[in-house]
Amino acid sequence: MPRLLSSALRIRRDPRLLKIPPYLSLLCILVGVVWLFLLPLDEYSRRTYISENALLPGQVHTYFGGSDQNVFRAYKHEVNALEDKSNLEINDKLESIIKGIGLKVGRQNFTYNSAGNVYSGENLYALLKAPRGDATEAIVLVAAWKNTKEELNRNGVALVLTLARYFKRWSLWSKDIIFLVTPDSIAGPQAWVDAYHDAHDSSRVDRLPLKSGALQGAIAIDYTQQERFESVHIIYDGVNGQLPNLDLINSVSNIAGGQMGMGVAIQEMWHHDNKYPDRLRTMLRGMLKQGLGLASGPHSSFIPYHVDAVTLQPFGRGWQDEMAMGRVIEGTFRSLNNLLEHLHQSFFFYLLMHRDRFVSIGTYLPSAMLVAANFTIMAIALWVKSGQPELNKEAAKKNEEFEVNPNNSAVERDLFLPLGFVTGCQFLSVIPLYLFNHAPESTLTPIFAVFTVLNLLLPYGLSHLITTYYAPTAQQYQMIRSFSLLLLGMFLSSLATLNFSLSLIVGVLSTPLTFMQPWPESPALRTFCTVLLNAIAPTMVLVIGASVWRLEISDVLREAAFAWDVYGMYSSIVVWCVWWPAWLAASVTVLGKPVPAATRRGKEKAKTA
Amino acid sequence: MNDGKVTVGRTAGLFLGAAVLRLALFTLFPGLPDLLTGRVEVSTPVTSFKRLQEGLFLYNHNVSPYEGGVYHQAPLFLPLFALLPSFATLPIFTYLLYIAVDLLSANALLKIADSREAGSSALFTSPRRDKRWSGFIVAALFLLNPFTIATCIGRPTSVFTTCAIIHAIAKAIAGAPFTAMVALSFASYLSLYPLLLLPPLLLLAYDRRKQTTKTTPFAFTVTHLGIVVGVHAILFGMSYLLTDCSWEFLPSTYGIQLTLQDLTPNVGLWWYFFVEMFDSFRSFFLAVFWLHLSAYVGGLTIRIRRQPLAVMTLLLGIFAIFKPYPSISDTSLFLALIPLFRHVFPLMRYTFLETAIVIYCCFLGPAFYHLWIYAGSGNANFFYAITLVWGLGLSLLVCDLTFAVLRDEWEVERPEMVGKEIRQI
């Protein structure tokens, strides 16, 4: 045993050991990325299953149909007549219709300001008291007047009215049902859910006049298609990449796909052959949406409050009519009605790659963690390296300096500059965060253009500043890299537990930062690294991303500011306060010109003498 | 002469800066104090400012503050906070009080650092003592430590305990054993556990006593134990009178710490263990946990007899991990004393690892707590796992500091071994 330990100690001393970490980091990155691409294989993904037995999806007869079709047609006429009316007029009419059905109605005003624009409107909702319940639990049926593409949700609103009338006739509900009609798809539901949980800012959003118990689930209808449809598209991404319980998606897919015989699609994959490429595409689309953290429909605002919610959207040409859609919702509501406790059995962290195929967190998390770990490994390696004497020719000559303490090879580290620099970068990041979230819309694009140009020049300026005033040594550059990578690794691994996809996307885009170092003697390599870094700068990625998806930069920025102001999307914090400072530190390092420690010490001695 | 003036000016600047920073955080971010007060990492059941408000409300309405079982803090806080203008209307006075307490602690810490006790105590002089940080830097590290700032903004009453402990140490070093004992009695009256610091504090006071008066160690111990008992008796008597002549405060304040009846999560290791515990084993494990906590006192005091200040620092680190209701306030006290031992830093081996673990926990802890409590997608195990890692990081730090202090002593005893590799056999 002692021999083993002493040989272990000898290995620890071996200078070759310090050459390993960069390769280890690279290996982590490669394994992490390859891991992701293995997930769609049959061996790594699993079939979905209903975990909560109380749900019993598709086990009841649904009776929606027959004369309800006439009712639906009548309500659709009413909705058509309201097409060009104002929000208030629409709500006045809807209120009289719902009161006619015999339900209590509440209305709520909201006004949001974002990027100089005003988003205001009035929500209208109705409460169906459960004949068999005690008003401690409720389920919500939502239809936004306009969907996320600003199309009139003609059939959706008419269907909600019809279902309200139909549900009222049944005596089997043990949970209250709330019917919510919002003027738009994002701000309205957000205002309503905030106010329902008393978490609203009362200067912008009114309180709700009428409330029920804890929300157990919510279904939103986005039904603009006029022709008969073929399949149902389930939209499930919540704000900040949070997802609803997988049981809810499974129930809907079970009812629609199994009981009603419709197709079920996810992530806008209108055709899916359940083979590897389609599965991968579905998964990557899901990850991208999750990573952006944007609200994808009226259901998104519910998920942060731990209310599981999805939006259902009919698509394709087929023979299913509005009644079939109504029956899907009826079936889902009957299932939710059965719940004895909040949905908790199934997964909250998953990646869906087909409607009945998924991977759970235990299988996919290692890939993001490996990518985040590569930064930490490199940070530790750099720290150890910075504690070792400089190994160049000059140092070899001046070896006597280290001979004072031959066994204890650690040299003292000068922490002030690296700590100050990394902290400074972190604080600088507040500027873009504030600018892009508070500037009015008209100035967003010019500010972005100016910022992009400044961002190109900033590393040169900072590098010039620190080389002129502080003359950092190679050790100090190592420590700058070490601290900045440590912070990056730390933020990303924490983030991986909250929003896996965002962490992985930022992690993969920042992988080159691991390998950046000063190139004082090789201008070619320095230029190459600078170009590479500028290609993966947050601003550049935004520009490239926008052009790939054919979006206007101004729309992207406006949407991001809206997301920040209205539903608290934190992706912009991650971009500006996690990714950007790490990028800046790496860019400055690449441009660095380290001064040999010995000359610097000599200079200081001269100064003090 | 001139140098002294510069230092005074610099220190005043630091104190002013720290006060302005805190005041700015209080006033510019009005939501921040309440947010931090609600965080389990900052407020524990026995220090929470919210619970203090509850107790204060009952006290002001002539109801026993311990009715309702929410308030678990010492009764003497009540008249103090009742004297201040009401928190609801004029919160600025409460803010100023907490800022003043922080500054007082920093001032005492500055004196401890400038006394050079850490490098050269009465019985031991470290060969490395010249490598030290001035009181200014030590005070700055305390005042600008994010944990200290978060604690100040979150306003738990543990800052008073911190202040009393640091003052006890400072007074013991300054050769005022009586004041030191009074300060320690206040600390232990406020939160019980500082009583365990009594043995090393007595040693410290004895080592640094004025040499003019001659006392035997025995007489010194008895006198000062008497002072501690006397001050406790006075404080308990005042509390008894304050709470309408009832001893109800004893079980509600100290009883709750001894028997851990409130199982609100915190950064410590007790709550989860006792949530899981079958009731029949509860008293046994309570005894074991308390025994474990107090067992370090004797061992460390005897082993590092020559450096009582190091013993107290290590003990405070151990308390920050293993006491029943720890918070980051206890960690900030431990971290405040570590810079005094700048001279042994080169002997510490895992500083980067420890720092990285502690900082990792600072991010992962709130994230997992969020997953458990708000998102509902995690559970209690998530948060407990992180508190375990946090405990691990701090205990590594404690071990590392112990190692460094012992190695420093050992190298004086065995000069031929200086710089040799340590090998475990």
Side-chain angles (χ1 to χ4, degrees):
Chain A
M1 191 67 187
R3 193 176 299 165
L4 192 73
L5 276 171
S6 63
S7 62
L9 280 173
R10 212 173 308 127
I11 291 173
R12 206 176 70 173
R13 277 287 153 72
D14 200 317
R16 278 171 295 183
L17 196 68
L18 271 178
K19 295 220 163 64
I20 298 175
Y23 299 103
L24 199 60
S25 278
L26 190 64
L27 187 73
C28 280
I29 297 168
L30 291 178
V31 173
V33 173
V34 169
W35 190 301
L36 192 72
F37 284 92
L38 291 180
L39 291 177
L41 293 174
D42 276 342
E43 288 78 17
Y44 300 94
S45 57
R46 283 196 269 167
R47 279 187 69 87
T48 55
Y49 55 95
I50 302 283
S51 196
E52 170 65 88
N53 291 323
L55 275 171
L56 298 171
Q59 302 289 310
V60 290
H61 277 292
T62 48
Y63 299 96
F64 187 65
S67 65
D68 290 310
Q69 188 147 22
N70 299 325
V71 177
F72 174 80
R73 224 169 282 143
Y75 283 142
K76 198 170 160 188
H77 275 294
E78 300 280 3
V79 171
N80 281 336
L82 291 171
E83 184 164 0
D84 298 315
K85 297 279 168 55
S86 75
N87 187 208
L88 271 182
E89 288 168 313
I90 294 169
N91 281 357
D92 285 342
K93 181 66 191 169
L94 290 181
E95 180 170 0
S96 74
I97 293 175
I98 295 173
K99 280 202 169 142
I101 297 170
L103 299 176
K104 282 189 208 162
V105 175
R107 291 163 80 155
Q108 177 211 21
N109 273 308
F110 63 88
T111 310
Y112 286 109
N113 292 302
S114 166
N117 300 331
V118 178
Y119 301 85
S120 65
E122 190 190 49
N123 292 327
L124 175 120
Y125 65 101
L127 183 61
L128 167 59
K129 288 272 177 203
R132 292 187 183 182
D134 49 3
T136 54
E137 293 175 334
I139 350 178
V140 191
L141 182 60
V142 191
W145 190 259
K146 294 232 170 85
N147 73 0
T148 43
K149 291 182 194 128
E150 296 290 309
E151 296 161 339
L152 178 60
N153 190 4
R154 217 180 288 268
N155 284 340
V157 175
L159 196 56
V160 164
L161 295 174
T162 321
L163 282 169
R165 187 172 180 278
Y166 171 75
F167 285 169
K168 179 86 171 63
R169 298 212 306 263
W170 287 94
S171 61
L172 48 78
W173 303 113
S174 59
K175 294 177 175 43
D176 289 357
I177 298 176
I178 298 172
F179 303 94
L180 171 64
V181 179
T182 58
D184 69 338
S185 281
I186 310 293
Q190 183 67 41
W192 190 84
V193 188
D194 282 348
Y196 196 91
H197 296 93
D198 284 326
H200 59 291
D201 171 4
S202 46
S203 64
R204 305 192 293 182
V205 174
D206 287 354
R207 51 180 285 281
L208 294 184
L210 198 64
K211 274 194 200 176
S212 169
L215 302 182
Q216 300 293 309
I219 305 286
I221 314 173
D222 174 3
Y223 191 176
T224 52
Q225 184 170 324
Q226 291 306 301
E227 312 90 57
R228 295 185 165 224
F229 66 92
E230 184 194 11
S231 311
V232 181
H233 180 213
I234 305 177
I235 309 173
Y236 57 87
D237 302 282
V239 168
N240 283 328
Q242 281 174 284
L243 302 174
N245 196 291
L246 189 54
D247 265 344
L248 182 66
I249 298 175
N250 288 343
S251 308
V252 175
S253 126
N254 211 317
I255 293 166
Q259 193 183 17
M260 303 290 162
M262 305 174 183
V264 173
I266 48 171
Q267 299 298 350
E268 298 175 20
M269 294 292 291
W270 311 124
H271 304 284
H272 199 304
D273 59 9
N274 204 9
K275 296 269 164 50
Y276 180 87
D278 272 2
R279 283 186 187 174
L280 184 68
R281 205 168 298 138
T282 315
M283 188 184 80
L284 292 180
R285 279 187 190 187
M287 285 177 60
L288 191 67
K289 275 216 177 132
Q290 195 185 18
L292 291 176
L294 294 170
S296 54
H299 68 283
S300 295
S301 318
F302 285 85
I303 297 176
Y305 288 96
H306 201 195
V307 179
D308 302 295
V310 290
T311 295
L312 304 182
Q313 187 183 34
F315 74 93
R317 271 159 223 274
W319 51 275
Q320 306 284 1
D321 64 351
E322 302 89 357
M323 292 299 114
M325 185 66 194
R327 278 197 295 277
V328 171
I329 291 160
E330 185 191 359
T332 313
F333 267 61
R334 291 288 297 276
S335 282
L336 287 172
N337 190 44
N338 286 341
L339 279 182
L340 296 175
E341 45 185 329
H342 220 99
L343 282 173
H344 66 283
Q345 289 268 6
S346 193
F347 299 90
F348 283 101
F349 298 105
Y350 50 83
L351 294 174
L352 278 173
M353 43 198 59
H354 181 236
R355 69 186 167 96
D356 57 4
R357 213 120 207 135
F358 79 109
V359 279
S360 75
I361 184 162
T363 319
Y364 69 69
L365 192 65
S367 71
M369 282 300 181
L370 279 172
V371 172
N374 107 72
F375 300 116
T376 311
I377 291 174
M378 204 57 192
I380 294 173
L382 283 167
W383 172 262
V384 174
K385 214 184 217 174
S386 72
Q388 306 221 329
E390 268 181 66
L391 284 177
N392 53 24
K393 297 156 219 156
E394 275 178 73
K397 268 183 222 160
K398 300 197 172 180
N399 215 2
E400 65 268 48
E401 224 173 305
F402 302 106
E403 269 169 21
V404 183
N405 205 349
N407 290 311
N408 200 354
S409 63
V411 291
E412 285 282 311
R413 297 179 177 90
D414 191 1
L415 288 170
F416 177 73
L417 174 70
L419 276 182
F421 182 77
V422 173
T423 323
C425 285
Q426 290 290 338
F427 274 106
L428 267 187
S429 65
V430 177
I431 298 172
L433 181 69
Y434 183 84
L435 271 184
F436 289 118
N437 287 324
H438 291 87
E441 191 189 349
S442 54
T443 59
L444 273 177
T445 321
I447 288 180
F448 183 77
V450 172
F451 184 79
T452 312
V453 174
L454 278 183
N455 199 36
L456 281 175
L457 304 175
L458 188 62
Y460 291 96
L462 279 181
S463 173
H464 183 71
L465 205 70
I466 62 168
T467 41
T468 330
Y469 288 99
Y470 297 102
T473 58
Q475 184 204 41
Q476 281 170 327
Y477 277 114
Q478 278 165 352
M479 276 190 290
I480 290 181
R481 290 171 63 200
S482 167
F483 295 149
S484 128
L485 290 178
L486 183 75
L487 278 180
L488 183 64
M490 195 139 44
F491 287 136
L492 290 184
S493 50
S494 305
L495 185 64
T497 62
L498 299 172
N499 187 343
F500 161 82
S501 307
L502 183 58
S503 165
L504 188 76
I505 292 171
V506 173
V508 168
L509 285 171
S510 333
T511 44
L513 305 188
T514 312
F515 307 104
M516 291 299 138
Q517 53 174 308
W519 300 103
E521 271 142 37
S522 164
L525 269 172
R526 184 166 60 215
T527 321
F528 170 74
C529 284
T530 316
V531 171
L532 175 67
L533 276 176
N534 276 312
I536 56 151
T539 46
M540 202 48 89
V541 170
L542 198 65
V543 171
I544 296 171
S547 63
V548 167
W549 280 281
R550 296 204 180 77
L551 299 166
E552 290 287 326
I553 285 285
S554 61
D555 290 344
V556 175
L557 293 173
R558 193 197 55 227
E559 193 61 33
F562 176 76
W564 166 272
D565 288 324
V566 176
Y567 51 87
M569 178 195 70
Y570 57 59
S571 307
S572 48
I573 298 186
V574 175
V575 170
W576 298 121
C577 302
V578 175
W579 183 11
W580 187 72
W583 175 86
L584 187 61
S587 305
V588 172
T589 315
V590 164
L591 297 171
K593 296 183 188 70
V595 177
T599 47
R600 184 156 184 248
R601 233 173 280 140
K603 258 187 216 166
E604 264 165 26
K605 263 177 206 158
K607 233 183 254 175
T608 48
Chain B
M1 186 73 196
N2 202 10
D3 214 36
K5 256 185 205 162
V6 171
T7 321
V8 170
R10 231 171 30 150
T11 315
L14 169 70
F15 282 20
L16 194 68
V20 168
L21 174 67
R22 284 161 167 75
L23 209 55
L25 285 173
F26 272 128
T27 46
L28 295 183
F29 302 96
L32 190 64
D34 287 335
L35 172 83
L36 283 174
T37 306
R39 298 296 312 184
V40 288
E41 296 90 342
V42 178
S43 297
T44 64
V46 294
T47 59
S48 161
F49 186 69
K50 239 185 215 164
R51 291 172 186 251
L52 178 71
Q53 296 296 104
E54 171 77 15
L56 201 58
F57 181 85
L58 295 176
Y59 174 76
N60 284 336
H61 288 77
N62 287 326
V63 181
S64 162
Y66 299 101
E67 294 276 328
V70 174
Y71 182 63
H72 301 304
Q73 296 162 49
L76 280 182
F77 278 128
L78 299 169
L80 171 69
F81 280 91
L83 273 178
L84 289 177
S86 157
F87 176 72
T89 50
L90 282 170
I92 188 77
F93 288 96
T94 314
Y95 297 159
L96 289 178
L97 174 70
Y98 275 86
I99 293 171
V101 170
D102 257 18
L103 295 184
L104 278 177
S105 308
N107 191 37
L109 199 60
L110 193 137
K111 283 182 190 147
I112 298 175
D114 283 338
S115 72
R116 306 187 176 209
E117 164 72 19
S120 55
S121 61
L123 302 176
F124 174 76
T125 305
S126 165
R128 305 164 196 273
R129 66 186 175 285
D130 289 334
K131 188 169 270 176
R132 55 181 281 278
W133 273 331
S134 67
F136 173 77
I137 296 180
V138 174
L141 286 175
F142 171 70
L143 284 175
L144 302 180
N145 183 346
F147 289 146
T148 318
I149 297 176
T151 309
C152 182
I153 308 295
R155 297 156 298 164
T157 49
S158 49
V159 294
F160 296 96
T161 314
T162 304
C163 187
I165 292 176
I166 297 183
H167 271 273
I169 300 174
K171 287 297 169 191
I173 288 173
F178 176 77
T179 330
M181 293 305 136
V182 173
L184 187 79
S185 309
F186 264 97
S188 72
Y189 165 77
L190 294 181
S191 38
L192 185 66
Y193 78 93
L195 198 61
L196 293 172
L197 291 172
L198 186 60
L201 188 75
L202 269 176
L203 287 178
L204 184 65
Y206 180 75
D207 288 349
R208 303 282 297 206
R209 74 191 184 282
K210 297 269 185 310
Q211 299 292 343
T212 46
T213 51
K214 279 208 169 170
T215 47
T216 61
F218 181 72
F220 186 87
T221 312
V222 171
T223 330
H224 289 89
L225 277 181
I227 295 169
V228 171
V229 172
V231 175
H232 272 102
I234 295 170
L235 289 172
F236 285 150
M238 282 164 69
S239 308
Y240 174 72
L241 294 177
L242 266 176
T243 51
D244 290 335
C245 298
S246 103
W247 291 112
E248 200 189 350
F249 72 91
L250 285 178
S252 304
T253 52
Y254 309 114
I256 214 93
Q257 298 216 25
L258 287 170
T259 57
L260 204 84
Q261 263 145 36
D262 194 316
L263 291 170
T264 314
N266 56 47
V267 293
L269 307 170
W270 290 48
W271 62 276
Y272 190 85
F273 205 80
F274 284 93
V275 167
E276 301 281 310
M277 183 90 55
F278 289 121
D279 271 352
S280 47
F281 299 117
R282 208 182 143 85
S283 38
F284 170 71
F285 276 101
L286 275 173
V288 170
F289 271 54
W290 269 105
L291 189 68
H292 167 251
L293 186 65
S294 42
Y296 291 101
V297 178
L300 283 174
T301 313
I302 294 166
R303 178 64 187 81
I304 320 180
R305 159 69 187 96
R306 294 185 291 174
Q307 303 186 59
L309 184 59
V311 176
M312 298 183 73
T313 308
L314 294 173
L315 281 178
L316 285 172
I318 289 165
F319 296 158
I321 309 163
F322 294 118
K323 81 188 195 98
Y325 294 105
S327 69
I328 59 166
S329 155
D330 301 290
T331 317
S332 75
L333 172 59
F334 174 49
L335 294 181
L337 292 177
I338 288 181
L340 298 174
F341 296 89
R342 171 70 183 88
H343 59 285
V344 296
F345 278 9
L347 296 173
M348 291 174 70
R349 295 177 295 179
Y350 309 112
T351 36
F352 185 74
L353 183 71
E354 290 143 10
T355 324
I357 294 181
V358 167
I359 303 178
Y360 254 91
C361 290
C362 292
F363 291 102
L364 279 174
F368 280 3
Y369 190 76
H370 171 85
L371 286 183
W372 170 28
I373 298 293
Y374 300 104
S377 37
N379 56 33
N381 300 333
F382 282 50
F383 184 65
Y384 186 62
I386 282 303
T387 61
L388 279 180
V389 177
W390 166 262
L392 177 79
L394 286 184
S395 34
L396 269 179
L397 186 57
V398 171
C399 294
D400 208 9
L401 187 65
T402 318
F403 169 81
V405 167
L406 287 175
R407 167 119 199 181
D408 192 35
E409 279 191 5
W410 184 68
E411 286 187 355
V412 173
E413 287 164 20
R414 307 271 304 271
E416 76 278 10
M417 299 301 278
V418 173
K420 289 266 167 60
E421 180 88 26
I422 289 292
R423 208 167 293 178
Q424 195 171 24
I425 305 170

